[in-house]
Amino acid sequence: MTQNSDPNYEFADLKLLAYNSSKTAVNAITVLLAAELKDTPIKINAADPGFTATDINQYQGYRTVEQGAIPTGGYAPVRLATLPDDGSSGGFFDENGVVPW
């Protein structure tokens, strides 16, 4: 929501109601599940793989699926899935770290 509200955001002009609404719902579920499971070893986080070439964008993304899963640095979906017991939970991350909700 923060990035989509910023007119300088790379994808600011893409206002896709169903897609953006579903992503917002997933983000809310991430926060709620992380709170619900805070006293367990389970970590709940959301990951942004970047503009990855998939069916939804007719393969126009500038990253491959492999690059989206394991980018060269920061928080990748694979890294988030293997966090240690003291790892973060309830956050939203891309390859550079924390993304504002």
Side-chain angles (χ1 to χ4, degrees), residues 15-16 21-22 28 30 38-39 46 51 61 68 72-73 89 98:
K15 303 297 188 210
L16 308 171
S21 298
S22 69
T30 299
K38 68 180 165 79
D39 296 324
F51 190 38
T72 57
S89 189
V98 176

Side-chain angles (χ1 to χ4, degrees), residues 48-50 63 67 70-76 93-99:
D48 175 2
R63 298 181 107 159
Q67 290 170 321
I70 309 174
T72 57
Y75 289 85
F93 302 91
D94 67 10
E95 66 180 333
N96 299 309
V98 176
V99 176

